[in-house]
Amino acid sequence: TSELGVENAARYELMIFHVRVHAGPWAGGHFRLQVDLRNKDYPFEPPSCQFLTRIWHPNVKESGGICHSYLRLPGSANPG
């Protein structure tokens, strides 16, 4: 679980989250995640998200890009 305590989050266009994991396989890890909302069609198109910290996960590309259906447009040829 996570909690985001940001007032007026809608005013931000580029956010970098520093995440510290307390349980699970990545317990004790510190990760940076970038969420880019500068897409002119946001919120009608998903944001661009990527890990800035290197991590191995089946849904994370070597470049840090996240491959997940929530971050793709419906009907996309690359479902994630």
Side-chain angles (χ1 to χ4, degrees):
T1 61
S2 63
E3 182 177 313
L4 180 61
V6 177
E7 290 183 30
N8 299 321
R11 69 181 178 163
Y12 297 103
E13 294 179 347
L14 180 66
M15 297 179 276
I16 297 178
F17 296 94
H18 297 266
V19 180
R20 190 169 135 208
V21 182
H22 299 286
W26 292 280
H30 295 258
F31 303 97
R32 291 181 10 195
L33 177 71
Q34 176 178 297
V35 179
D36 189 347
L37 304 175
R38 294 178 288 187
N39 178 346
K40 66 181 176 73
D41 294 321
Y42 180 80
F44 302 105
E45 290 188 11
S48 169
C49 299
Q50 77 175 51
F51 276 91
L52 301 178
T53 304
R54 197 166 180 157
I55 182 173
W56 184 91
H57 187 278
N59 287 23
V60 179
K61 299 176 186 177
E62 194 170 329
S63 64
I66 300 172
C67 183
H68 196 283
S69 59
Y70 287 148
L71 300 175
R72 304 275 181 261
L73 289 172
S76 172
N78 186 5

